[in-house]
Amino acid sequence: MELRRLARYDALIFTSLLWFMAKFVRYLFPPLFEPFQTAFGVSNTATGLAFSALMTVYALMQFPSGVIADRQGPVRVIAGGAVVATLGSLALVVPVPLPDLAVPVGPVASVPGEFLAIVGGMLLIGVGTGAHKTVAVRLLAAVHRERTGRALGVLDTVAAFGGVAAPLAVTYALPDWRGLFLASALLVAALTVLFVRRTPRHLDDERATAPSGDGGIDGSLAGYLRLMTVPRVGLFVGVTVAFAFAYNGVVAFLPLYLTEAAELEPGVANTLYSGLFVVSLVQLGTGELTDRVGRLPMLFATVGAAVVGAALLLSVQGVVAVAAAVVVFGLGAHGFRPVRSAFLMSLLPDDAAGGGWAWYEPC
Amino acid sequence: MTAGAVAPGVTGFLIDTQGYDAAFTALGGGLVVALALLGVIAVLGDAA
C-alpha cells in the first residue's frame, strides 16, 4: 500500500535524485583542488578556471535545453543530460595521457595533458547537468500541477544534500578520488534507467510541458533589457550579480582556504564545507519569513548575515570560531535565495514574471 | 549565473597573485556592494 502511494511520486523522486547527483558531482571538485594541484602541478588559477568552465557551460545549457524540451519532451532532455554527465564522470575514472598544452603567454609554460583530460570531463559534466534544472522544474510543474511549490521544494532540498555528501565522500575516498566518479557514473546510469522507465506514464501529450509563460514583454532580449532601465530592477540585478560573484568564489575555494589560510586539517575543512550546505535548509524558513516580515528586511538580514560570516571567516581562528563563521555565512547565503526570487517577482509586471525569471537567471 | 560562473577563475587568480586573505576580502567586498545597493533601493523606495 505504502509502496503504491510512493509510486505516485516516482517522477519526483527520480528527478530529485538525479538533481542530487548533479550537485554531488559538481561539489566533488572544490575539495579536490588541492589534490589536483599536488598531482598535476597546476595553480589556483588553473583549478579555478576549470571550475568556471564547468559553471559556464552549465549556465549556457539552460536556454537550449528548454527549447529542445519543447520539441523532444522533458524526459528525453533530462535523460540525455544525465547520459552526457555520466560520460563526463567516466572520463575522470582513468588517467588520459593527452599531450601537454603549451601556453604562449603568462606565468606557466604549459598545462599538463592529464589535467586537460580532467577539464574535458568537467565540461561534459557541466553540459550534462546544465540540461537538468530548467527542464526538471517544468516537468514537475506539469506532473504536480496542484502542488508544484511543494514538488519544487522537494527537488531543491534533496539536491542540497548533494553538496553535503560530496566533501564527506572526498574525505573518505582520498587519495583514490577517481573511484568517486566511477561510483557516481554507475549511480546516475541506474537512476536514468529508472527515470526513463517510470516518468513518461505521468505525462500525456497535453501535459508534457508546463506553460512556459514567456510574458507580455514580447520575449525578446531587447524586451528584457528594457526592464533593466527601471532603476529598481537594474539596482537589484546589481545586487544579485555582486552576490553571485562573492558566493561562487567562496564556495569554489572554501576547502582550500580552510586548510591553507585557517590551517585546519583537510578532514575538518571538508566537514565544515559540508556544513555550509547543511545550513542551506534555512531557505525553507526564509521563504516563509519573507511573507511575514517583508522582502526588503529579509534581503538585508540575509545579505547582512553573509557579510558578517565572511568578515568572521577573515578574522577568527580556531576550529569552533571558523565553523561558526561558515555557518553564519551559509545561513545568509542560502537564506538569500528564496527572498531574492520573491523580491524579483514583486519587481516584474505579472505578465513578464515567467520570462523575466528566465532572463534573470543567467545574471 | 554569469557572474557566478567567472568567480572561481577570478578567485583562483587573486589567490595566486595576492594571497588568500586578499582574495577572500575581495569576495567579502562583493557582498558589501550587494548590501550597499540594497541600501540604495531602500532609500529610493518606490521612486526607484
Side-chain angles (χ1 to χ4, degrees):
Chain A
M1 182 67 179
E2 284 301 312
L3 273 178
R4 196 172 297 167
R5 270 187 64 188
L6 207 60
R8 287 166 49 198
Y9 298 103
D10 50 11
L12 174 61
I13 291 168
F14 294 123
T15 305
S16 300
L17 288 177
L18 281 171
W19 187 222
F20 167 93
M21 287 306 298
K23 289 291 184 86
F24 177 81
V25 174
R26 179 196 297 178
Y27 290 118
L28 285 176
F29 290 109
L32 286 172
F33 283 0
E34 194 276 330
F36 285 174
Q37 290 172 11
T38 304
F40 308 118
V42 292
S43 63
N44 288 300
T45 307
T47 48
L49 284 174
F51 199 61
S52 276
L54 183 158
M55 297 290 286
T56 301
V57 293
Y58 168 86
L60 291 175
M61 283 304 294
Q62 308 285 314
F63 288 110
S65 59
V67 172
I68 297 169
D70 282 340
R71 295 178 185 173
Q72 300 293 325
V75 174
R76 283 183 184 175
V77 173
I78 290 175
V83 169
V84 173
T86 300
L87 293 175
S89 290
L90 287 174
L92 296 169
V93 173
V94 291
V96 180
L98 292 179
D100 293 356
L101 177 71
V103 181
V105 291
V108 293
S110 64
V111 180
E114 214 174 300
F115 181 69
L116 287 176
I118 286 175
V119 175
M122 291 173 77
L123 287 173
L124 284 175
I125 288 169
V127 169
T129 56
H132 190 92
K133 180 71 186 284
T134 309
V135 181
V137 166
R138 291 165 63 180
L139 169 72
L140 294 180
V143 173
H144 297 280
R145 287 203 169 173
E146 307 303 320
R147 292 172 184 254
T148 300
R150 185 176 291 183
L152 298 183
V154 170
L155 178 75
D156 279 331
T157 305
V158 169
F161 283 92
V164 176
L168 300 177
V170 170
T171 303
Y172 178 77
L174 281 176
D176 299 320
W177 55 267
R178 289 186 187 274
L180 286 172
F181 291 96
L182 177 60
S184 300
L186 294 175
L187 250 174
V188 172
L191 284 171
T192 305
V193 170
L194 290 168
F195 171 79
V196 170
R197 284 175 64 97
R198 304 294 297 182
T199 303
R201 68 197 176 91
H202 295 284
L203 298 166
D204 50 45
D205 287 343
E206 227 176 281
R207 301 202 315 167
T209 52
S212 60
D214 60 356
I217 51 173
D218 76 17
S220 69
L221 183 62
Y224 292 126
L225 286 177
R226 272 199 299 278
L227 276 174
M228 297 270 284
T229 60
V230 178
R232 211 169 162 86
V233 176
L235 284 166
F236 192 64
V237 168
V239 171
T240 61
V241 166
F243 192 93
F245 180 82
Y247 172 76
N248 284 285
V250 171
V251 165
F253 279 95
L254 188 60
L256 265 177
Y257 179 87
L258 294 175
T259 52
E260 299 293 320
E263 298 177 346
L264 302 178
E265 292 293 317
V268 176
N270 284 347
T271 303
L272 294 191
Y273 188 59
S274 174
L276 175 69
F277 297 101
V278 171
V279 299
S280 68
L281 289 175
V282 72
Q283 59 192 312
L284 296 173
T286 51
E288 225 171 285
L289 260 180
T290 303
D291 295 336
R292 292 187 195 170
V293 301
R295 299 178 185 103
L296 209 50
M298 280 304 292
L299 284 171
F300 275 109
T302 52
V303 177
V307 170
V308 170
L312 284 173
L313 197 58
L314 285 161
S315 55
V316 299
Q317 287 187 322
V319 62
V320 175
V322 172
V326 171
V327 166
V328 173
F329 174 78
L331 287 173
H334 294 295
F336 174 71
R337 288 181 179 173
V339 193
R340 175 190 65 181
S341 306
F343 191 76
L344 179 81
M345 291 306 171
S346 74
L347 291 179
L348 298 177
D350 288 346
D351 61 348
W357 182 247
W359 145 84
Y360 160 87
E361 274 288 289
C363 292
Chain B
M1 182 52 91
T2 306
V6 301
V10 174
T11 307
F13 177 75
L14 285 174
I15 291 171
D16 284 338
T17 55
Q18 309 292 322
Y20 281 95
D21 283 348
F24 271 64
T25 301
L27 295 173
L31 293 173
V32 172
V33 169
L35 201 57
L37 289 172
L38 278 177
V40 175
I41 292 173
V43 168
L44 293 178
D46 291 338

